[in-house]
Amino acid sequence: MADSSFDIVSKVERQEVDNALNQAAKEISQRYDFKGVGASISWSGEQILMEANSEDRVKAILDVFQSKLIKRGISLKALDAGEPQLSGKEYKIFSSIKEGISQENAKKVAKTIRDEGPKGVKAQVQGEELRVSSKNRDDLQAVIALLKGKDFDFALQFVNYR
């Protein structure tokens, strides 16, 4: 019988991020506490740019955006938000979306599976993802449960379960 397997990836659906950004922009344009403060959120190339006239306001914009991401099912671990920076009279926050599992993070996950997972489960790094395989499907379910219980500093998704 062939081995069963699944892949561990760290991907974010760009359309969902775009929808969350549009919802946040709409809420910011309508909220009374953002009226007349130059508050905005938009794409700036591959980054997300948040602007306002005070540090508190720009942090509030980030908070609104994070709440929209959560509602759309996107992990906040995928959002890499910078610190508020003063640029002229405006405060700005640049954020980016992290995707892919780095080699060192993949090694951490593989080590966790080897040390704490069921015996007979193999994990191999394939580029920016990790393939986990085993003869027993129940062992794979146990690995998924184990990894969901761990708190890694990056988002994990489990795909291609077969």
Side-chain angles (χ1 to χ4, degrees):
M1 188 170 117
D3 283 3
S4 299
S5 69
F6 67 89
D7 294 335
I8 301 172
V9 296
S10 181
K11 291 185 178 161
V12 175
E13 201 169 317
R14 173 83 178 207
Q15 185 62 50
E16 289 296 325
V17 174
D18 203 33
N19 290 343
L21 187 129
N22 290 335
Q23 285 180 336
K26 186 174 182 180
E27 182 173 324
I28 289 164
S29 70
Q30 293 175 346
R31 269 181 42 179
Y32 71 94
D33 56 335
F34 289 123
K35 295 280 187 219
V37 296
S40 68
I41 181 169
S42 62
W43 285 105
S44 174
E46 283 295 305
Q47 291 190 317
I48 298 163
L49 171 64
M50 292 163 249
E51 297 178 291
N53 66 358
S54 75
E55 189 173 347
D56 291 338
R57 293 271 192 262
V58 79
K59 285 182 178 176
I61 293 171
L62 177 61
D63 190 47
V64 168
F65 182 54
Q66 287 175 335
S67 71
K68 299 301 179 191
L69 287 175
I70 290 169
K71 284 183 182 173
R72 293 219 154 262
I74 297 170
S75 172
L76 292 182
K77 292 177 183 177
L79 180 68
D80 186 18
E83 289 299 312
Q85 302 168 341
L86 185 60
S87 173
K89 293 181 178 178
E90 296 272 303
Y91 279 88
K92 296 181 179 187
I93 294 180
F94 286 98
S95 298
S96 58
I97 303 296
K98 296 185 288 190
E99 289 192 302
I101 301 175
S102 69
Q103 289 292 322
E104 71 179 52
N105 286 339
K107 287 178 183 172
K108 280 185 202 173
V109 174
K111 183 173 179 0
T112 301
I113 293 170
R114 265 196 320 277
D115 294 348
E116 301 176 32
K119 299 291 177 231
V121 175
K122 297 183 286 294
Q124 51 196 142
V125 178
Q126 296 181 334
E128 291 190 338
E129 58 184 42
L130 200 68
R131 165 91 24 108
V132 180
S133 57
S134 172
K135 292 195 181 309
N136 187 345
R137 286 179 156 239
D138 292 340
D139 288 349
L140 293 180
Q141 293 287 348
V143 168
I144 290 174
L146 168 75
L147 294 177
K148 282 184 178 179
K150 294 287 178 188
D151 187 31
F152 293 105
D153 57 349
F154 51 95
L156 293 179
Q157 291 87 32
F158 307 101
V159 296
N160 297 340
Y161 186 82
R162 54 181 170 265

